[in-house]
Amino acid sequence: MTTRRTAGRTAIIGAGVMGETLLSGLLRAGRAPEQLVVVEKRAERADELAARYGVEVVPDVAAAAAADTVLLVVKPQDMAGVLAEVGPALEPGRLVVSLAAGITTSFIEQHVAAGVAVVRVMPNTPALVDEGMAALSPGTHCDAEHLAEAEALLASVGRVVHVPEAQQDAVTAISGSGPAYVFFVVEAMVEAGVHLGLPRTVAHELAVQTLVGSAAMLRETGEHPAVLREQVTSPGGTTAAALRELEVHGVRAAFLAALEAARDRSRQLGS
């Protein structure tokens, strides 16, 4: 029987935007700097992170294996190479949390020792402002303690849900890629506002605050979006006229096709 180490140290492999977001979030959530280690091979970037956060930054991926929990915040195409370095040094009972789109828990388990716990996570970029949405799926050797630790890590930068791994590609399509769809819509609204004669700064503020307020209504009221939409839509009014045009141009169908494309690409990345 294997036992987990009790030091509680977490290693973050990958110091890009999401890796740094998790690092700063964990520190704000109360993790001590000495509990964290970051793997970054670029000397200039390593010095920057060490100075900014007061954490240990190392260039050797294998060195991260000494931590109890290893966060893999790397691109899907880099995962095999990273696992080749860190995998052999991981002992049973350690926890590996992967944030790479499309990479399955079974793929990671094939590159580490039997008994290493794996959790697959799909986060999103609003984690940058502590409003992230992360979906977690446990692997074969993941117990309740492992899953609770993974949830605590991601909860430092937003909200967390648990889903079966078979649903992760759909999660990627909705929330992983979702912020880009929202930004795309806001961009279109701003451009339309300018076209209609508004100053760009005013159009931007109107669109952004409308988005923020609408999201707050969805969260705080718990109402179905269709109910809230109907509350804004007076018969024969301006909103009804606008929504008719969106339906005529197939916006709803376009969103479905877009999310299916994102789901399919997530599957391709995993293969």
Side-chain angles (χ1 to χ4, degrees), residues 22-86:
L22 286 170
L23 172 61
S24 62
L26 288 170
L27 290 169
R28 290 193 303 276
R31 301 275 175 135
E34 56 268 23
Q35 291 181 291
L36 302 168
V37 59
V38 179
V39 176
E40 174 54 61
K41 296 184 177 182
R42 295 171 295 166
E44 183 177 348
R45 175 65 169 160
D47 291 342
E48 176 188 345
L49 292 169
R52 182 177 299 168
Y53 300 106
V55 298
E56 180 183 6
V57 184
V58 299
D60 184 8
V61 171
D68 298 273
T69 301
V70 177
L71 283 165
L72 300 177
V73 199
V74 298
K75 296 177 181 178
Q77 57 267 34
D78 296 334
M79 182 63 78
V82 170
L83 288 173
E85 293 186 65
V86 73

Side-chain angles (χ1 to χ4, degrees), residues 6 12 17 36 64 86 103 106 124 157 174 223 230 253 268:
T6 57
I12 300 174
V17 173
L36 302 168
V86 73
I103 301 299
S106 62
N124 66 10
V157 291
I174 294 174
E223 292 281 7
E230 289 171 358
Q268 290 170 3

